[in-house]
Amino acid sequence: MVGSHETQGPGAGADGTGGRFAGGTAGRVPGPLVRDLSEAELLARIVPLLPRGETTIVPSGDDSAVLGLSDGRVTVSTDMLVEGVHFRRDWFNGRDVGWRVAAQNIADAVAMGARPRSLVVAMELPGDVPVAWVADIARGLAEYCGPLGCGVDGGDLVSGSHIAISATILGDLEGRTPLRRSAAAPGQPLIHCGNLGRAAAGFELLNRGFAPDRGAFPDAATRLMQDFLRPRPPVPAVLSAVRAGLRGAMMDVSDGLIRDAQRIAAASGVHIDIHSETLNRHAQDLLEVARHLGRSDPLEWAYDCVLSGGEDHGFLATMDVSPERAWGARIPHLPEGFSLIGTVEAAHPAGLVTVDGRAWNRGNGWDHFRRTSQTLN
């Protein structure tokens, strides 16, 4: 697989299976099913709904799309969504799935400092999936990609036994040096842009049987569920920062703040310390829901979500400034939308992450292949 995005999901399915979710079944959607149409007929329903990118010269329809990018260097990243692992149809509608496919792939391009230009999407579809649901995937892709000027420029359709969607994003560095995980250095401030913990809290609500449209919970809960179903990476803010000269390490936070900070620490050979008081506003946003869920220690649960929850798709970065300016009265001006959450303390050969100077032992985020690391049930 090409690209740097590892895994998705803040926790395991409640059924104890290897998947991200329990199975879920699709509700009936009016109209024909996938098996009722030929590939050409299905494509005719989908392609007109997709946006054409600002740099797309030859769009979907030929053997390959053709782009005219401003930089000879292009970032490439691939990511997948699989039903029963990353989504279930009794939680997600087609638009939600299309939105999520686009958002999580585009976040990977932006994490390298690249402008997203073209998304290519391949889908495996069972015959009993309603065509209207598949068309809604296209609409969700368009809703997310269109405002960013990113095209959806082709892909592939195959029949199969379950829904699986693979997307590849091409990003334009626009003449800049890519931002890599290995660029963190001692003395640099650790900064973040976007949500923390909201998707993990939304997942728990859905896993408890709540739904955004049932109106049986506070408005805060509905917003959290929507943040899980449709992550909102702060793409314009990050692109503005890199165009203004942000340099250092950066990555998309998809698997939890602790786990992804560990990836930067390991790649850069440094010790990163996260300062918990800087995360208080994120934790406070979750307290009302924590109390309604009956959590014995709402603040502890909120911090667990903030530090170990995944799928918010914010951005974690360091700033390449002199060590004496990394903290205190001479702290550098932060890019708009970013907040200071810690420091790169020192070199560390294996990479180390601490919270307030201490090891974090309450769960390290999501990993598909180490079931014991999961924190949500």
Side-chain angles (χ1 to χ4, degrees):
M1 179 180 293
V2 179
S4 60
H5 188 81
E6 281 79 13
T7 54
Q8 327 299 318
D15 60 354
T17 65
R20 171 63 174 73
F21 300 118
T25 56
R28 284 296 303 168
V29 178
L33 303 179
V34 167
R35 62 171 171 254
D36 298 326
L37 275 66
S38 68
E39 181 180 359
E41 290 169 333
L42 186 56
L43 285 171
R45 302 284 187 102
I46 297 172
V47 172
L49 303 173
L50 300 174
R52 180 168 176 171
E54 296 174 1
T55 60
T56 303
I57 298 172
V58 177
S60 177
D62 280 84
D63 289 326
S64 295
V66 178
L67 310 179
L69 301 184
S70 60
D71 192 326
R73 297 168 299 169
V74 178
T75 65
V76 181
S77 182
T78 297
D79 207 354
M80 293 187 70
L81 283 182
V82 178
E83 184 177 14
V85 178
H86 305 103
F87 72 92
R88 45 191 278 185
R89 278 184 274 168
D90 57 341
W91 290 5
F92 288 75
N93 60 42
R95 287 184 186 235
D96 295 333
V97 172
W99 176 289
R100 174 176 278 276
V101 168
Q104 67 186 41
N105 276 275
I106 283 174
D108 282 337
V110 175
M112 299 297 292
R115 180 177 179 180
R117 289 297 195 180
S118 179
L119 194 69
V120 180
V121 181
M123 292 190 283
E124 175 188 346
L125 298 170
D128 62 355
V129 175
V131 171
W133 197 88
V134 179
D136 275 344
I137 293 178
R139 292 185 176 95
L141 289 166
E143 286 174 7
Y144 192 84
C145 292
L148 298 175
C150 178
V152 181
D153 297 309
D156 193 22
L157 295 177
V158 298
S159 61
S161 59
H162 62 288
I163 300 175
I165 306 169
S166 176
T168 298
I169 182 68
L170 303 180
D172 183 356
L173 285 165
E174 299 179 318
R176 294 181 295 273
T177 301
L179 301 180
R180 302 185 62 185
R181 301 177 186 185
S182 57
Q188 292 180 348
L190 183 72
I191 60 177
H192 179 269
C193 184
N195 294 328
L196 282 170
R198 296 182 65 85
F203 166 76
E204 177 148 342
L205 288 164
L206 289 162
N207 210 33
R208 295 277 196 98
F210 298 100
D213 58 354
R214 291 180 188 164
F217 226 57
D219 287 344
T222 296
R223 291 192 295 272
L224 293 175
M225 287 184 276
Q226 290 292 353
D227 284 336
F228 173 74
L229 296 171
R230 293 193 175 200
R232 289 168 171 77
V235 170
V238 175
L239 288 179
S240 177
V242 297
R243 286 166 178 157
L246 176 65
R247 293 293 179 268
M250 186 157 68
M251 69 175 297
D252 159 43
V253 181
S254 57
D255 296 328
L257 180 60
I258 295 286
R259 178 170 292 277
D260 288 327
Q262 287 173 336
R263 289 175 172 136
I264 290 179
S268 299
V270 295
H271 168 203
I272 292 174
D273 188 48
I274 297 171
H275 301 177
S276 64
E277 74 275 8
T278 65
L279 306 176
N280 185 60
R281 67 179 180 88
H282 296 286
Q284 291 293 326
D285 287 344
L286 309 181
L287 288 182
E288 181 183 9
V289 167
R291 295 187 182 103
H292 278 275
L293 286 172
R295 289 287 176 173
S296 58
D297 189 333
L299 189 60
E300 181 180 90
W301 176 80
Y303 267 99
D304 283 351
C305 288
V306 169
L307 287 162
S308 298
E311 303 223 23
D312 285 305
H313 293 285
F315 296 88
L316 183 66
T318 67
M319 290 184 68
D320 185 11
V321 296
S322 59
E324 64 270 16
R325 293 185 60 214
W327 197 261
R330 300 182 65 190
I331 183 174
H333 177 70
L334 298 181
E336 185 174 355
F338 282 83
S339 60
L340 185 66
I341 66 168
T343 52
V344 183
E345 295 290 329
H348 191 286
L352 174 68
V353 174
T354 56
V355 179
D356 300 330
R358 297 185 296 275
W360 177 259
N361 297 314
R362 295 181 52 81
N364 290 330
W366 168 256
D367 185 330
H368 270 299
F369 301 102
R370 295 187 62 187
R371 304 302 196 289
T372 58
S373 72
Q374 299 165 0
T375 58
L376 297 182
N377 295 305

